[in-house]
Amino acid sequence: MSKRAKKNEQEAGDGDHDNGTAPAAKKGKKVKEPEAPILYSDPPDKMNSKDGRAANMKITSWNVDGLRAWVKKKGLDWVRDEAPDVLCLQETKCAEKSLPDEITSMPEFPHKYWAGSDEKEGYSGVAMLCKTEPLKVTYGIGKEEHDKEGRVITAEFPTFFLVTAYVPNSGRGLVRLDYRKTWDVEFKAYLSDLDKRKPLVLCGDLNVAHEEIDLKNSKGNKKNAGFTAEEREGFNQLLAAGFTDSFRELYPEQANAYTFWTYMMNSRSKNVGWRLDYFVLSSALLPGLCDSKIRNQAMGSDHCPITLHMVV
Amino acid sequence: MSKRAKKNEQEAGDGDHDNGTAPAAKKGKKVKEPEAPILYSDPPDKMNSKDGRAANMKITSWNVDGLRAWVKKKGLDWVRDEAPDVLCLQETKCAEKSLPDEITSMPEFPHKYWAGSDEKEGYSGVAMLCKTEPLKVTYGIGKEEHDKEGRVITAEFPTFFLVTAYVPNSGRGLVRLDYRKTWDVEFKAYLSDLDKRKPLVLCGDLNVAHEEIDLKNSKGNKKNAGFTAEEREGFNQLLAAGFTDSFRELYPEQANAYTFWTYMMNSRSKNVGWRLDYFVLSSALLPGLCDSKIRNQAMGSDHCPITLHMVV
DNA sequence: CTTGAAACG
DNA sequence: CGTTGCAAG
């Protein structure tokens, strides 16, 4: 391989979450054979906690990248099969009045909560759909500055809080990294405050790959949104505040486990991806943790869904 | 039919070229049966002039409403079957560098000319593709004010000028009617000047239905772009300057003959349309006129193509 | 590459 | 309703 080609393979483009592979080879140049995608084995869901109790709460989280398109691509069929107790969605990109009937009328989830962007229509937005009614539902993190983009919904259940979040992307050229750093600080403070009242589950697109193992091209992406030192440190600080990355807790060595692949350059078929979606748990909930799964077969978005089984 | 229903059927919306039919009937109300579309018979092309000479020039004009989408919808397959000597396109909405290979490499037309909008990418734009090379090709009408939107190409052939035009739409709410009136005056002047040198054929989307016979809902569209008194008078003035609407010349009583149908409200399937595309001829070319056809079976745009046969 | 909205028709 | 460039990811 030429020096230049090697460089390309590690460089990232100026986009966010780029996979860093070279662009289409020039005509006449030798092209690398397509390799078999490197996946990881997917054992059956563990339905019991370490201390032997049976899971009684199933939560699924999915960045749908445009709810309307995702519904057309039959994302809800997958959800019906998965049948979680709570479904959390990020990047719905849809005003409440424009939601498809198929989801607003879904009988499996009688309790539905929507947060949209105040300013920009079709931007950001999260949702939480529940089988049973939460005690209370709140929107945002209680900071005017951060609550205009429909990024957080918090539901209080008898024994825990469930927070779903779509963390701000730092953007191409890291144009929004400064804002993201503020967000990370204030969001962690919000979660710490909640945690003092009741343990919590945080799920959603946290827009960071924590460690090198959490993305394919770690080398080439150190200056790109989602893998900067600042964003990774933000995640470190969250864990230091007493929270746990449930997937990594259960599968500390598992490589090639991703939840996002850019639509560009056939990244998904090559499993050139990032782990950006998480279930993060208060330490008090760890004894009830049964499994934390990545459903990388489910299509309909550039992210795949993740599912948590726990005892609450 | 109720008075209200009747009113709806004649009213136009505030859009341009609306067909003026009522919106979807309210639930529970009686709905009119869908009627068989009223078309007109399409006799074989006349390939001789009145004085018996054989046609030796075939020109096709088509508002493609986005050349790239039209190419994907196989518009070029239809063109290859039609096999005109000159193909004129309007609303290409495509910068020259973004043209699909399939059209730039088309061997049937070795001589290709493109005009695009200077300011707005993906807006307006016309093209002329020729089997034989014109003596000279010019762009615009020689008035700075009118030549920024890629609306006119003029090709000089040995015995005539061919002008293809995409005349400015007066817009919803007639926001651009004033500009259109200026255009009509200056464009007529341009054509009159050309006509002094050599007779001409003008083809393209002239964005006006001339008389009541030239659109389905004439009553409801008198205040809408394409059928205002001002635009119709502009066309009258053009004819008064010594030019002839070739289709109407040959088929003076032919109703239900349209070249445009809004994509909305299934207008095309109901043949609720407008005749907006024309071949307009200098009087000196009338003896050579053989036929002026509307190819209303050709799909790929909200306009259909038209074809002229003449002796030059 | 893909989404959604905006402008235009 | 459907096209385009656009911002965003």
Side-chain angles (χ1 to χ4, degrees):
Chain A
M1 187 188 284
S2 75
K3 193 173 174 186
R4 175 66 192 154
K6 181 148 189 181
K7 186 161 192 297
N8 269 343
E9 225 188 47
Q10 301 190 338
E11 262 177 1
D14 60 358
D16 57 348
H17 310 331
D18 266 331
N19 66 26
T21 50
K26 296 284 193 302
K27 218 190 311 197
K29 287 244 175 175
K30 197 177 175 185
V31 181
K32 217 163 86 175
E33 288 301 311
E35 291 162 23
I38 304 158
L39 292 165
Y40 63 97
S41 66
D42 193 30
D45 297 16
K46 288 181 293 225
M47 302 302 290
N48 291 87
S49 60
K50 257 190 187 150
D51 55 19
R53 289 173 294 153
N56 60 2
M57 171 63 60
K58 180 177 186 177
I59 304 170
T60 293
S61 175
W62 198 348
N63 177 321
V64 295
D65 187 31
L67 181 138
R68 282 163 290 183
W70 168 81
V71 165
K72 284 188 192 139
K73 288 182 283 194
K74 300 296 169 197
L76 282 175
D77 287 355
W78 185 91
V79 167
R80 271 184 283 265
D81 282 356
E82 181 78 354
D85 298 303
V86 184
L87 173 68
C88 298
L89 305 176
Q90 302 87 39
E91 276 205 273
T92 51
K93 293 180 168 184
C94 189
E96 213 167 321
K97 59 175 166 48
S98 308
L99 290 167
D101 291 341
E102 204 191 332
I103 192 162
T104 55
S105 65
M106 207 172 182
E108 292 90 337
F109 302 108
H111 312 283
K112 307 182 184 73
Y113 308 92
W114 309 96
S117 177
D118 291 344
E119 343 259 76
K120 296 174 256 187
E121 279 270 312
Y123 175 73
S124 187
V126 296
M128 191 184 291
L129 285 71
C130 308
K131 259 190 182 151
T132 65
E133 190 171 12
L135 303 176
K136 190 179 176 189
V137 172
T138 59
Y139 299 85
I141 63 174
K143 298 265 178 187
E144 173 89 36
E145 174 191 2
H146 299 299
D147 293 346
K148 296 172 183 167
E149 298 186 328
R151 296 188 174 276
V152 176
I153 297 176
T154 301
E156 181 176 356
F157 290 96
T159 58
F160 71 107
F161 287 108
L162 175 59
V163 181
T164 190
Y166 171 49
V167 168
N169 192 305
S170 296
R172 308 229 164 152
L174 303 177
V175 288
R176 233 184 162 196
L177 179 56
D178 280 343
Y179 173 66
R180 166 65 175 273
K181 285 154 73 180
T182 321
W183 166 280
D184 279 350
V185 170
E186 311 239 32
F187 189 43
K188 187 195 68 171
Y190 171 72
L191 296 171
S192 290
D193 281 351
L194 271 188
D195 192 37
K196 285 169 196 156
R197 297 167 49 201
K198 246 181 216 183
L200 66 83
V201 173
L202 162 66
C203 72
D205 177 358
L206 304 190
N207 254 323
V208 62
H210 184 209
E211 304 284 11
E212 310 242 335
I213 195 177
D214 295 313
L215 74 168
K216 178 69 77 185
N217 285 304
S218 54
K219 301 288 175 299
N221 279 306
K222 299 204 172 189
K223 292 296 190 313
N224 282 110
F227 199 60
T228 61
E230 292 91 332
E231 292 160 306
R232 296 172 64 190
E233 178 57 17
F235 198 81
N236 282 331
Q237 291 299 322
L238 185 63
L239 301 190
F243 298 101
T244 300
D245 170 357
S246 61
F247 179 85
R248 196 53 74 201
E249 173 76 9
L250 295 172
Y251 308 102
E253 310 291 342
Q254 182 60 63
N256 304 307
Y258 310 126
T259 66
F260 164 83
W261 306 261
T262 172
Y263 279 125
M264 293 173 251
M265 295 169 283
N266 289 310
S267 296
R268 192 160 183 174
S269 68
K270 295 178 286 189
N271 197 30
V272 175
W274 303 55
R275 191 165 70 93
L276 301 178
D277 300 86
Y278 297 83
F279 287 105
V280 169
L281 272 58
S282 292
S283 45
L285 292 177
L286 278 184
L289 172 61
C290 300
D291 211 346
S292 186
K293 307 291 291 182
I294 296 177
R295 305 298 200 202
N296 58 17
Q297 305 297 324
M299 306 302 286
S301 165
D302 49 1
H303 292 246
C304 74
I306 56 177
T307 289
L308 179 79
H309 295 288
M310 61 187 299
V311 187
V312 294
Chain B
M1 187 186 284
S2 75
K3 193 173 171 186
R4 175 64 194 157
K6 181 150 188 179
K7 185 161 190 300
N8 271 341
E9 222 185 52
Q10 301 189 337
E11 263 178 2
D14 59 358
D16 55 349
H17 309 331
D18 265 332
N19 67 23
T21 49
K26 296 285 192 302
K27 214 191 307 194
K29 287 242 176 176
K30 198 176 174 185
V31 181
K32 219 165 82 174
E33 287 300 310
E35 291 163 25
I38 303 157
L39 292 165
Y40 63 97
S41 65
D42 193 30
D45 297 15
K46 288 182 295 227
M47 302 302 290
N48 292 86
S49 60
K50 257 190 186 148
D51 55 19
R53 290 174 293 153
N56 60 2
M57 172 63 61
K58 180 177 186 176
I59 304 170
T60 293
S61 175
W62 200 348
N63 177 321
V64 294
D65 187 31
L67 182 137
R68 282 164 290 183
W70 169 80
V71 166
K72 285 188 191 139
K73 288 182 284 193
K74 300 294 167 198
L76 282 175
D77 287 355
W78 185 90
V79 167
R80 270 183 282 264
D81 282 356
E82 182 78 353
D85 298 302
V86 184
L87 174 67
C88 298
L89 305 176
Q90 302 87 37
E91 274 203 274
T92 52
K93 294 180 169 183
C94 189
E96 214 167 321
K97 59 175 167 49
S98 308
L99 290 167
D101 292 341
E102 204 190 334
I103 193 161
T104 54
S105 64
M106 208 171 180
E108 291 91 335
F109 302 108
H111 312 282
K112 306 181 186 74
Y113 309 92
W114 309 95
S117 178
D118 292 342
E119 342 259 75
K120 295 174 258 189
E121 281 271 312
Y123 175 72
S124 188
V126 296
M128 192 184 290
L129 285 72
C130 307
K131 260 189 181 151
T132 65
E133 189 171 13
L135 304 177
K136 190 180 176 190
V137 172
T138 59
Y139 299 85
I141 64 175
K143 298 265 179 188
E144 173 88 36
E145 174 190 2
H146 299 299
D147 292 344
K148 296 171 185 169
E149 298 186 328
R151 297 188 173 278
V152 177
I153 298 176
T154 302
E156 182 176 356
F157 289 96
T159 57
F160 71 107
F161 288 107
L162 175 60
V163 181
T164 191
Y166 172 49
V167 168
N169 191 304
S170 296
R172 306 227 166 153
L174 303 177
V175 287
R176 234 185 160 194
L177 179 55
D178 281 343
Y179 172 67
R180 166 65 174 274
K181 285 154 73 179
T182 322
W183 165 281
D184 279 351
V185 169
E186 311 239 34
F187 188 44
K188 187 196 66 172
Y190 171 72
L191 295 171
S192 289
D193 281 352
L194 271 187
D195 192 37
K196 285 170 196 156
R197 298 167 48 200
K198 245 180 219 184
L200 67 85
V201 173
L202 162 66
C203 72
D205 177 359
L206 304 189
N207 254 323
V208 63
H210 184 208
E211 303 283 11
E212 311 240 335
I213 195 176
D214 295 313
L215 74 168
K216 178 68 79 185
N217 285 302
S218 53
K219 300 289 175 299
N221 279 305
K222 299 204 173 187
K223 293 295 192 310
N224 282 110
F227 200 60
T228 61
E230 291 92 331
E231 292 160 305
R232 297 172 64 190
E233 178 58 17
F235 198 81
N236 282 332
Q237 292 298 323
L238 185 63
L239 301 190
F243 298 102
T244 300
D245 170 358
S246 61
F247 179 85
R248 197 52 74 201
E249 173 76 11
L250 294 172
Y251 308 102
E253 311 290 342
Q254 183 60 63
N256 304 308
Y258 310 126
T259 67
F260 164 85
W261 306 262
T262 171
Y263 279 125
M264 292 171 249
M265 293 167 286
N266 288 309
S267 297
R268 191 158 184 176
S269 68
K270 296 178 286 189
N271 197 31
V272 176
W274 302 56
R275 193 165 69 94
L276 301 179
D277 301 86
Y278 297 84
F279 287 105
V280 169
L281 273 58
S282 292
S283 45
L285 292 178
L286 277 186
L289 172 61
C290 300
D291 211 345
S292 186
K293 305 292 290 182
I294 296 177
R295 305 299 199 199
N296 58 19
Q297 305 297 324
M299 306 302 286
S301 165
D302 50 0
H303 291 246
C304 74
I306 57 176
T307 290
L308 179 78
H309 295 286
M310 60 185 301
V311 188
V312 294

